[in-house]
């Protein structure tokens, strides 16, 4: 009997997590993405109920008080993110393994509650300088946002060795193959 429930992916912003998550969702039909809730406004092109459930800060707090999140974090000042329990239930009912994209603390909290039923993967860029280059090249964040994300990356990197696996996203094709291999092994 297979109890595999969740694959959790964490990475400092700009490390290539979204790129690798999209790849995994295409390559591995047993996985389905857990849509988080957030109090941050949508970035260009993001749709409510696709990338995130976008909530007002008041509505976010109401759901925290009602116990609707498996875990939640203030990832950046005034910006809340949480995993709705209803998402995991929805995907479990559909017979899928949940793919979660959460920050380090959310990942370690979910890992603690699911144990061996979860695989926690940390994705990192080869260096902080390369991370800065990618954030600048992506062109979706202001200079101030980029500095916040780099400071946060420094903090997150300290937790990398608590994860089940680390993928260094240097050469993209190699990183894709590696993450596919690690997830494939966990699922079978
Ligand atoms: P995240 O989801 O971790 O914030 P993205 O997937 O948006 O990161 O990647 C950040 C930027 O870096 C994007 O512009 C992406 O195209 C680029 N990128 C991703 N992987 C690589 C790689 N291996 N080498 C160079 N650039 C990459
Ligand atoms: P972004 O604003 O770039 O979409 O996401 C910022 C950070 O919030 C990322 O590190 C992302 O993994 C994290 N995040 C997204 N959803 C959740 C969630 O539900 N819980 C936690 N703890 N972090 C999340």
């Amino acid at each position: 009997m297979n109890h595999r429930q969740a694959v959790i992916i964490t990475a400092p912003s700009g490390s290539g997590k979204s790129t690798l998550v999209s790849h995994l969702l295409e390559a591995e039909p047993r996985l389905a993405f857990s849509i988080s809730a957030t109090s941050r406004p949508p970035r260009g092109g993001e749709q409510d109920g696709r990338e995130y459930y976008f909530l007002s800060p008041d509505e976010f707090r109401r759901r925290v008080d009602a116990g609707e999140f498996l875990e939640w974090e203030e990832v950046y000042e005034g910006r809340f993110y949480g995993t709705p329990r209803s998402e995991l239930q929805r995907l479990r009912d559909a017979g899928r393994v949940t793919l979660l994209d959460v920050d380090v603390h959310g990942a370690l909290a979910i890992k603690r509650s699911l144990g061996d039923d979860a695989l926690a993967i940390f994705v990192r860029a080869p260096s902080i300088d390369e991370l800065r280059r990618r954030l600048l090249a992506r062109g979706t964040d202001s200079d101030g946002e980029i500095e916040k994300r780099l400071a946060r990356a420094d903090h997150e990197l300290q937790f990398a060795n608590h994860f089940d696996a680390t993928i260094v996203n240097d050469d993209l094709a190699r990183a894709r193959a590696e993450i596919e291999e690690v997830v494939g092994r966990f699922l079978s």
Side-chain angles (χ1 to χ4, degrees), residues 11-19 130 134 137-138 169-172:
S13 183
S15 307
K17 181 180 51 183
S18 310
T19 307
E130 175 59 17
R134 288 185 193 171
R138 187 170 69 182
N169 180 20
D170 190 350
D171 176 67
L172 183 57

Side-chain angles (χ1 to χ4, degrees), residues 9 11 13 17 36-37 40 43 46 52 71-73 75-76 81-84 101-103 105-107 138 149 156:
I9 308 219
S13 183
K17 181 180 51 183
S36 292
R40 80 152 165 79
R43 282 201 287 257
E46 289 180 333
Y52 285 105
E71 61 76 37
W72 64 274
E73 283 285 330
V75 177
Y76 302 106
Y81 297 80
T83 306
D101 164 350
V102 296
D103 86 313
H105 302 293
R138 187 170 69 182
R149 280 160 197 267
E156 295 200 323

Side-chain angles (χ1 to χ4, degrees), residues 18 33-38 40 42-54 81 87 101:
S18 310
F33 188 64
S34 165
I35 303 165
S36 292
T38 182
R40 80 152 165 79
R43 282 201 287 257
E46 289 180 333
Q47 273 175 31
D48 186 48
R50 192 179 63 188
E51 285 82 7
Y52 285 105
Y53 299 109
F54 293 99
Y81 297 80
E87 278 296 291
D101 164 350

Side-chain angles (χ1 to χ4, degrees), residues 81-175:
Y81 297 80
T83 306
R85 295 180 190 279
S86 56
E87 278 296 291
L88 273 89
Q89 193 56 52
R90 176 176 73 82
L91 298 174
R92 200 175 300 152
D93 291 348
R96 311 287 285 280
V97 176
T98 306
L99 181 63
L100 297 121
D101 164 350
V102 296
D103 86 313
V104 270
H105 302 293
L108 295 176
I110 296 168
K111 177 71 190 173
R112 266 195 304 277
S113 79
L114 297 183
D116 288 344
D117 293 342
L119 174 72
I121 303 175
F122 193 94
V123 174
R124 56 180 296 176
S127 67
I128 290 275
D129 282 344
E130 175 59 17
L131 195 58
R132 177 179 282 112
R133 267 192 290 279
R134 288 185 193 171
L135 286 169
L136 285 168
R138 187 170 69 182
T140 52
D141 304 283
S142 66
D143 289 356
E145 281 291 327
I146 289 179
E147 287 314 313
K148 263 196 233 168
R149 280 160 197 267
L150 290 172
R152 175 91 194 165
D154 239 12
H155 170 74
E156 295 200 323
L157 281 163
Q158 295 170 25
F159 296 89
N161 59 356
H162 296 281
F163 283 69
D164 297 316
T166 300
I167 308 280
V168 179
N169 180 20
D170 190 350
D171 176 67
L172 183 57
R174 197 185 42 76

